[in-house]
Amino acid sequence: MDNLLILLFFLLGLIFGSFFNVIGLRIPQKKSFTNDRSVCPQCQHPLSWPELIPVLSYMMQRGKCRHCNGSISLLYPVIELTTGVLFVFCYIQSGLDFELITALILMSLLVIILVSDIRYMLIPNSILLFFFPLLVLARFIRPLDTWWSSIAGAFAGVLIIAIVILVSRGGMGAGDMKLFGLLGIVLGFEKTLLALFLSCMIGAVIGLVLLLLKVIDRQQPVPFGPYIVIASIITYFHGDILLGWYFHDWLQG
Ligand SMILES: [Zn+2]
């Protein structure tokens, strides 16, 4: 692995991450994300370019707006750093293969959804509609080992979540269902099932911890998207190992 390229993908991730923050926050509010300049959410003061530098500006301003002293959400630098790290993972996993493009598109989708689902409990249709053709095209150019696995994965993802929505009446929403349709295309059949299973496990564990720490109460709705995002990232990078364990140690061992 080329260290210079690793650094480059990290910096690229930081810049894209700060862009994903803006998209994830503005799209659900139907605001433009290209024309308007970024402003402080509290005093509406336009941000100058040094205040737009990912992570560094947050650290230099100690998490506060320079004009109104209002605190800046920790979500911004966390999302920027997360994107940086994920872009590096993509490069380490795929090298300079076409799959790197697929991986970067997938991570971009997941980070934007993370932002908008945490902030608004919403997975915007426009985001899904933007990424759908990109992911289909990427899997068309570089298909999975069995080409129909993408189609089966998409159908399985949508169908299983649809059943969950019907049975549970809440908990999961139509956005989660459509998102799993997109994930199925990239992950394929087996890994989509794995991602479904993992997102429920992660959701149960984190939900329980948040309840015990009294961060949330029993009635409070919790967005399910972040669990899907974490599960999909684990599955995309380590799905083969996890599936290998399962089939060897459980079924044959
Ligand atoms: Zn301000």
Side-chain angles (χ1 to χ4, degrees):
M1 285 288 125
D2 190 331
N3 287 335
L4 197 66
L5 276 175
I6 288 179
L7 181 68
L8 196 75
F9 276 102
F10 181 67
L11 294 177
L12 203 67
L14 290 184
I15 294 164
F16 270 86
S18 103
F19 184 50
F20 296 159
N21 269 322
V22 175
I23 297 176
L25 290 174
R26 289 193 188 179
I27 287 275
Q29 297 183 315
K30 308 255 185 283
K31 282 189 192 167
S32 148
F33 58 86
T34 46
N35 301 328
D36 304 2
R37 285 185 63 189
S38 288
V39 295
C40 164
Q42 274 143 55
C43 69
Q44 310 297 321
H45 194 285
L47 301 181
S48 58
W49 73 264
E51 289 166 299
L52 293 170
I53 302 171
V55 186
L56 267 183
S57 63
Y58 183 88
M59 282 160 59
M60 272 155 42
Q61 295 167 232
R62 295 195 177 81
K64 297 214 187 299
C65 169
R66 248 191 244 175
H67 307 283
C68 68
N69 220 26
S71 57
I72 302 166
S73 169
L74 191 64
L75 192 67
Y76 290 97
V78 167
I79 288 292
E80 288 159 359
L81 276 176
T82 305
T83 314
V85 170
L86 288 175
F87 274 28
V88 170
F89 282 176
C90 291
Y91 169 63
I92 291 175
Q93 168 130 328
S94 305
L96 294 176
D97 183 90
F98 183 82
E99 184 65 23
L100 176 60
I101 309 270
T102 311
L104 293 174
I105 296 172
L106 176 65
M107 294 307 139
S108 304
L109 166 70
L110 293 175
V111 172
I112 295 170
I113 281 170
L114 191 62
V115 174
S116 85
D117 210 22
I118 288 177
R119 278 296 172 90
Y120 306 107
M121 294 201 48
L122 196 78
I123 298 177
N125 272 329
S126 52
I127 301 291
L128 297 172
L129 277 172
F130 177 81
F131 280 93
F132 176 64
L134 292 180
L135 292 172
V136 169
L137 185 68
R139 270 289 165 260
F140 190 75
I141 296 172
R142 175 57 56 87
L144 295 165
D145 292 341
T146 35
W147 65 269
W148 50 263
S149 187
S150 284
I151 299 166
F155 275 107
V158 170
L159 204 67
I160 292 171
I161 304 276
I163 292 167
V164 172
I165 292 173
L166 284 176
V167 172
S168 70
R169 288 180 199 149
M172 283 193 206
D176 300 314
M177 181 179 78
K178 287 176 261 182
L179 173 59
F180 254 107
L182 265 68
L183 291 171
I185 297 167
V186 184
L187 298 174
F189 184 65
E190 287 101 339
K191 287 187 190 169
T192 300
L193 298 185
L194 177 65
L196 267 165
F197 171 74
L198 281 180
S199 54
C200 293
M201 295 292 286
I202 294 166
V205 171
I206 296 182
L208 191 67
V209 171
L210 292 179
L211 266 179
L212 290 175
L213 293 175
K214 296 194 163 49
V215 177
I216 53 168
D217 60 60
R218 211 168 275 275
Q219 272 77 40
Q220 195 174 342
V222 180
F224 196 72
Y227 307 138
I228 301 177
V229 169
I230 299 169
S232 309
I233 292 170
I234 296 172
T235 304
Y236 181 77
F237 289 116
H238 297 294
D240 287 323
I241 300 170
L242 293 173
L243 286 172
W245 277 343
Y246 180 78
F247 285 115
H248 275 96
D249 302 343
W250 279 38
L251 296 184
Q252 293 165 13

